[in-house]
Amino acid sequence: MHSFPEHLLKGHANFMDGRYAREKDRIRDLASAGQHPPTMIIACCDSRAAPEMIFDAGPGEMFVLRNVANLVPPYQPDGGQHGTSAAIEFAVKALEIENIVIMGHGRCGGIRAALSHTHTPLDDGDFIGKWMSMLGDLPAQLGQNALLTDSERQTAMERISIRNSIRNLRTFPYVAALEKEGRLAVHGAWFDISTGELWVMNGDGDFYRPDL
Amino acid sequence: MHSFPEHLLKGHANFMDGRYAREKDRIRDLASAGQHPPTMIIACCDSRAAPEMIFDAGPGEMFVLRNVANLVPPYQPDGGQHGTSAAIEFAVKALEIENIVIMGHGRCGGIRAALSHTHTPLDDGDFIGKWMSMLGDLPAQLGQNALLTDSERQTAMERISIRNSIRNLRTFPYVAALEKEGRLAVHGAWFDISTGELWVMNGDGDFYRPDL
Amino acid sequence: MHSFPEHLLKGHANFMDGRYAREKDRIRDLASAGQHPPTMIIACCDSRAAPEMIFDAGPGEMFVLRNVANLVPPYQPDGGQHGTSAAIEFAVKALEIENIVIMGHGRCGGIRAALSHTHTPLDDGDFIGKWMSMLGDLPAQLGQNALLTDSERQTAMERISIRNSIRNLRTFPYVAALEKEGRLAVHGAWFDISTGELWVMNGDGDFYRPDL
Amino acid sequence: MHSFPEHLLKGHANFMDGRYAREKDRIRDLASAGQHPPTMIIACCDSRAAPEMIFDAGPGEMFVLRNVANLVPPYQPDGGQHGTSAAIEFAVKALEIENIVIMGHGRCGGIRAALSHTHTPLDDGDFIGKWMSMLGDLPAQLGQNALLTDSERQTAMERISIRNSIRNLRTFPYVAALEKEGRLAVHGAWFDISTGELWVMNGDGDFYRPDL
């Protein structure tokens, strides 16, 4: 066991002197009253795509699930231990979240792995391979299209995957029911880690820049 | 499909005018050069416990997995789709992360659910129940102890769970091997969402405040 | 009989030149008028946990009982010679104290002895064993819990013991009656001998830091 | 349960800003290394006679037992739960204390109660009466002497009681043995709460001022 990383200790000191000092009352109220975030974000683990940074969000504002490539599996109660499904269940049924945003991003390593023609497992366990297999034959279907550059194919797959996750999300009975009642909204978003641009998905599954 | 949440659009505009404007060069370099975060954080989805806030971290600084109650399953390649294991595999084998921090926090809803004597599933699917079952009989063992107040039992279980996750993390062969070689360090941490205090785990599994 | 310890003589000279010289009038008034401390502290003998130091208290401010592990027995007039009960009786009935604080502390040797699985009496008389037996089977109950580290178990037992002493204190008829009338308040506190932190007990028996 | 007394919280803040801030390193070392005080003081609960004040002592310097009238019972392993004996056992056998000082003081309420001709119990339980009965017929013997003023009788009884406690202390086999070997010294002292004077006992049981 090494000593705790110095950069984290220093960062925490900055937090205490900065945001915590400024927002102490609100943070304490949040702790005692409990969280009531209006929004759940399902995002990637990538160090360049933190939802709180992208949306300039403070404590209590968003319930955040982060897994590799921001995937959502279909509703399968008899399947394995689905950490993602557990977070969705908690957000919708316990926290009564009003919005779920599935947010992908550019240059995603998980999507790149899924697209690689000759998948070389990182390890015998190959958890990445198994996890990305949730995309089924979508990468293979896209990969056959020789008209796209690698970069275009990558972005395309990132967005295809968001649409796929939204489909899966709607297989959760309570998600579908609440969305029908107008009490829960499901959104797709894609973040460009280079330009900072945010693209959001419309009803047709297309992505556009809402600030333009 | 509702229109994209206004608070997110406004937050993104703040990001563009603020951090992005100030750190544009660095953010673009990160996009083109790829991420090389030194640290992986395994944290909870709770809206009050964002690692980037707690450690005042900017883009590129930490690879962040967030699931309910920051659990790590044991190494089980033949088990279900382990999103958590995929993230660990990616962080260690592809990104060559130097530190993994499992960070729990106070008043964790997942831990509270695990401790409740009469678990009432939020839904027939009961993903929360299945997910938290990763703790095995630890909650029951602790729950039998009537000497602790509810609050003390909650904190104790949050820390016991961190130790359990660290044990599980070390069943990943490459984690154990790299740790032995001194190339990877595994840490435990616990964040007090009310006081802002950070507690870190020492070699005995005890938690202490490094800033004191 | 050795000569009186030099360090004590020197310390007393410091007291005379310092506090006594400065507060002579108040100290003399206190001697002639009698003591009317508002608060009784029941603390441990430990050399690192003097109540006057912790609370920066001067002469006349606190009536202080100190025994091993700051224990309070239940009200048992027919039992043995209870020095602790005599002090409580004097404080409440003669001095009309308004507050009683039972103050435990970290790394308490008495609590450690009570928790040790294989109690080895320090002496045939085993006064420590008899004295700590006031905790009944609480240490055994807690000791069976293998989930806590030694350090966590120690802190937990220190706080369980404070709650137990408060329960015992309330078996004194006049304590219960005066508390009901709002003329006497009973408090629990725990002092961290390393960080200097003071934790106080709330109505649920939980300990928190009032300065945060 | 009232809120924690304000004067104690304020005092603790003073301690943190003052002594703790100045002696942080030493205090922390004491916490981790354990206490090794050279001296045990057996003193009274009186708010005007705190040993740490009288001897200007800091953390780690003295192991302090405080009961009503600083009494020591004889060695009686088959008697009741003797908190005082437990503290002596711990100090001598576990901490290997080098000095034990029994320190009485002027205008002691417990001694005054023992001397009153017509003892009126403060409460049916009469713990004070039972506790002070440890002095046996000494108060009665002294009380028959009409030549002393009340004040003189009071001071005399305070010193007689110290000598009595020293006799009782020497019935503890290990105290007697270690004292004989020159490894433990037993002392008597008396503090004048008005003038601040310290009187110490010589080998004949007489009290004198060492600073004169």
Side-chain angles (χ1 to χ4, degrees):
Chain A
M1 175 80 57
H2 298 60
S3 66
F4 204 75
E6 195 58 38
H7 69 283
L8 297 182
L9 293 179
K10 198 171 164 188
H12 179 253
N14 289 344
F15 162 66
M16 291 305 285
D17 293 341
R19 167 160 252 158
Y20 188 81
R22 287 193 308 274
E23 303 183 23
K24 186 175 175 181
D25 289 345
R26 195 169 85 80
I27 288 172
R28 298 210 156 194
D29 287 348
L30 264 173
S32 57
Q35 63 174 336
H36 298 288
T39 302
M40 176 185 195
I41 311 276
I42 298 175
C44 181
C45 299
D46 194 292
S47 64
R48 300 162 295 182
E52 287 85 359
M53 175 188 77
I54 295 169
F55 296 115
D56 192 37
E61 293 181 18
M62 42 179 66
F63 185 77
V64 177
L65 171 77
R66 292 178 71 176
N67 61 32
V68 172
N70 42 276
L71 301 187
V72 175
Y75 181 80
Q76 292 176 328
D78 299 331
Q81 289 175 317
H82 288 305
T84 300
S85 302
I88 293 166
E89 180 182 293
F90 191 80
V92 177
K93 302 289 285 184
L95 297 179
E96 301 183 343
I97 287 281
E98 296 162 26
N99 302 288
I100 301 180
V101 178
I102 296 177
M103 187 179 75
H105 68 96
R107 312 184 192 214
C108 176
I111 295 294
R112 183 176 298 121
L115 276 174
S116 71
H117 294 294
T118 55
H119 176 62
T120 309
L122 290 168
D123 173 69
D124 289 347
D126 192 20
F127 289 113
I128 288 285
K130 288 167 185 158
W131 176 247
M132 297 309 299
S133 74
M134 205 189 295
L135 292 175
D137 64 353
L138 295 174
Q141 281 184 47
L142 184 68
Q144 290 169 346
N145 192 326
L147 299 179
L148 299 178
T149 66
D150 284 351
S151 169
E152 287 170 343
R153 193 166 20 246
Q154 170 84 15
T155 302
M157 192 65 228
E158 287 159 2
R159 296 179 176 184
I160 289 165
S161 174
I162 293 167
R163 289 191 287 269
N164 185 58
S165 284
I166 286 179
R167 271 194 302 276
N168 287 346
L169 185 56
R170 288 179 170 142
T171 63
F172 285 67
Y174 36 87
V175 170
L178 289 168
E179 196 183 13
K180 198 172 174 184
E181 295 175 29
R183 293 165 57 197
L184 174 68
V186 173
H187 307 276
W190 181 90
F191 176 69
D192 186 319
I193 62 167
S194 181
T195 64
E197 290 173 351
L198 180 73
W199 297 66
V200 305
M201 201 181 90
N202 68 13
D204 295 329
D206 283 318
F207 286 76
Y208 68 99
R209 288 184 56 196
D211 55 335
L212 291 187
Chain B
M1 174 77 60
H2 298 59
S3 65
F4 204 74
E6 193 59 35
H7 69 281
L8 297 181
L9 294 177
K10 197 171 165 188
H12 179 253
N14 288 344
F15 163 66
M16 292 306 287
D17 292 342
R19 170 161 250 158
Y20 189 81
R22 288 193 308 273
E23 303 183 27
K24 188 176 173 179
D25 289 347
R26 196 169 85 81
I27 287 172
R28 298 210 160 192
D29 286 350
L30 261 174
S32 58
Q35 64 174 334
H36 298 286
T39 301
M40 176 186 195
I41 312 275
I42 299 176
C44 183
C45 300
D46 194 293
S47 64
R48 301 163 295 183
E52 287 85 357
M53 174 188 78
I54 294 168
F55 297 116
D56 192 40
E61 293 181 18
M62 42 178 67
F63 185 77
V64 177
L65 171 77
R66 291 177 71 176
N67 61 30
V68 171
N70 43 274
L71 302 187
V72 174
Y75 182 81
Q76 290 177 329
D78 299 330
Q81 288 175 319
H82 288 304
T84 299
S85 301
I88 293 167
E89 181 181 293
F90 191 79
V92 177
K93 301 290 286 187
L95 298 178
E96 300 183 344
I97 287 280
E98 297 162 26
N99 302 288
I100 301 180
V101 178
I102 296 177
M103 187 179 74
H105 69 94
R107 311 182 193 214
C108 179
I111 294 293
R112 184 176 298 121
L115 275 176
S116 70
H117 291 295
T118 55
H119 177 62
T120 308
L122 291 168
D123 172 69
D124 289 346
D126 193 19
F127 289 114
I128 287 286
K130 287 166 185 160
W131 176 247
M132 296 308 299
S133 73
M134 204 189 292
L135 291 176
D137 65 353
L138 294 175
Q141 278 184 51
L142 185 67
Q144 289 169 346
N145 195 321
L147 300 179
L148 301 178
T149 66
D150 287 348
S151 169
E152 287 173 344
R153 189 160 28 240
Q154 169 85 16
T155 302
M157 193 65 229
E158 286 159 3
R159 296 179 175 184
I160 289 165
S161 174
I162 293 168
R163 291 194 286 266
N164 186 57
S165 284
I166 287 179
R167 273 194 298 275
N168 286 346
L169 185 55
R170 286 178 171 142
T171 63
F172 285 68
Y174 35 89
V175 169
L178 289 167
E179 197 183 12
K180 197 172 174 183
E181 294 174 31
R183 292 165 57 196
L184 174 66
V186 172
H187 307 276
W190 181 90
F191 176 68
D192 187 320
I193 62 167
S194 180
T195 64
E197 291 176 351
L198 180 74
W199 295 67
V200 307
M201 201 182 92
N202 69 12
D204 295 328
D206 283 315
F207 286 77
Y208 68 98
R209 288 184 54 198
D211 55 334
L212 290 187
Chain C
M1 174 80 57
H2 297 61
S3 65
F4 203 74
E6 194 59 36
H7 68 282
L8 297 181
L9 294 178
K10 197 171 167 187
H12 179 253
N14 289 344
F15 162 66
M16 292 305 286
D17 293 342
R19 169 161 251 160
Y20 189 80
R22 286 193 309 273
E23 303 183 25
K24 187 176 175 180
D25 290 346
R26 195 168 85 82
I27 288 173
R28 296 210 160 192
D29 286 348
L30 262 175
S32 57
Q35 63 174 337
H36 298 287
T39 301
M40 176 186 196
I41 311 275
I42 299 176
C44 183
C45 299
D46 194 293
S47 64
R48 301 163 296 182
E52 287 84 359
M53 174 188 78
I54 295 168
F55 296 115
D56 193 36
E61 293 181 18
M62 43 178 66
F63 185 77
V64 178
L65 171 77
R66 293 177 70 177
N67 62 32
V68 172
N70 43 274
L71 301 187
V72 174
Y75 181 81
Q76 291 175 329
D78 299 331
Q81 289 176 319
H82 288 304
T84 299
S85 301
I88 292 167
E89 182 181 292
F90 191 79
V92 176
K93 302 289 285 187
L95 297 179
E96 300 183 343
I97 287 281
E98 295 162 28
N99 302 287
I100 301 179
V101 178
I102 296 178
M103 186 179 76
H105 68 95
R107 310 183 194 216
C108 178
I111 294 293
R112 184 176 296 120
L115 276 175
S116 70
H117 292 294
T118 54
H119 176 62
T120 308
L122 291 169
D123 173 69
D124 290 346
D126 193 20
F127 289 113
I128 288 285
K130 288 166 186 159
W131 176 247
M132 296 309 299
S133 74
M134 205 188 295
L135 291 175
D137 65 352
L138 294 174
Q141 279 186 50
L142 184 68
Q144 288 169 347
N145 195 320
L147 301 178
L148 302 178
T149 66
D150 287 349
S151 169
E152 288 173 343
R153 192 162 22 243
Q154 169 86 16
T155 301
M157 193 65 228
E158 286 160 2
R159 295 178 176 185
I160 289 165
S161 175
I162 292 168
R163 289 194 287 265
N164 187 57
S165 284
I166 286 180
R167 272 194 300 274
N168 286 346
L169 185 54
R170 286 180 170 141
T171 63
F172 286 67
Y174 36 88
V175 169
L178 289 168
E179 198 184 13
K180 199 172 173 185
E181 295 175 28
R183 293 164 57 197
L184 174 66
V186 172
H187 307 276
W190 182 88
F191 176 69
D192 187 319
I193 61 167
S194 180
T195 64
E197 290 175 352
L198 180 74
W199 297 66
V200 306
M201 200 180 93
N202 69 13
D204 295 328
D206 283 315
F207 287 76
Y208 68 99
R209 288 184 53 199
D211 55 334
L212 292 186
Chain D
M1 174 77 60
H2 298 58
S3 66
F4 205 73
E6 195 58 38
H7 69 282
L8 297 181
L9 294 178
K10 198 171 163 188
H12 179 254
N14 288 344
F15 163 66
M16 291 305 286
D17 292 342
R19 169 161 252 158
Y20 188 81
R22 288 194 307 273
E23 302 184 26
K24 187 175 173 179
D25 289 347
R26 196 170 84 80
I27 288 172
R28 300 212 156 191
D29 286 349
L30 263 173
S32 57
Q35 62 174 335
H36 298 287
T39 301
M40 176 186 196
I41 311 276
I42 299 176
C44 183
C45 299
D46 194 292
S47 64
R48 301 163 295 183
E52 287 85 357
M53 175 188 77
I54 295 169
F55 297 115
D56 191 39
E61 293 181 19
M62 42 179 68
F63 185 78
V64 176
L65 172 77
R66 292 177 71 176
N67 60 31
V68 172
N70 44 274
L71 302 187
V72 175
Y75 181 81
Q76 290 176 327
D78 299 331
Q81 287 175 319
H82 289 304
T84 300
S85 302
I88 292 166
E89 181 182 293
F90 192 79
V92 176
K93 302 289 286 187
L95 298 178
E96 301 182 345
I97 288 281
E98 296 162 26
N99 303 287
I100 301 179
V101 178
I102 296 177
M103 187 179 74
H105 68 95
R107 312 186 192 211
C108 177
I111 295 293
R112 183 176 299 121
L115 275 176
S116 70
H117 292 294
T118 54
H119 177 61
T120 307
L122 290 169
D123 172 69
D124 289 347
D126 193 20
F127 288 114
I128 287 286
K130 288 165 185 160
W131 177 247
M132 296 308 299
S133 74
M134 206 189 293
L135 291 176
D137 64 353
L138 295 174
Q141 281 185 46
L142 183 67
Q144 289 169 347
N145 192 324
L147 298 180
L148 299 178
T149 66
D150 285 350
S151 170
E152 286 170 343
R153 192 163 21 243
Q154 170 85 15
T155 301
M157 192 66 229
E158 286 160 3
R159 296 180 176 183
I160 289 166
S161 173
I162 293 168
R163 289 193 288 266
N164 185 59
S165 284
I166 287 180
R167 271 195 300 275
N168 286 346
L169 185 55
R170 286 178 171 143
T171 63
F172 285 69
Y174 36 88
V175 170
L178 289 167
E179 197 182 12
K180 196 172 174 183
E181 295 175 31
R183 293 165 57 197
L184 174 67
V186 173
H187 307 276
W190 181 90
F191 175 68
D192 187 320
I193 62 168
S194 180
T195 64
E197 290 174 352
L198 181 73
W199 295 66
V200 306
M201 202 181 89
N202 69 14
D204 296 328
D206 282 319
F207 285 77
Y208 67 100
R209 288 184 56 196
D211 55 335
L212 290 188

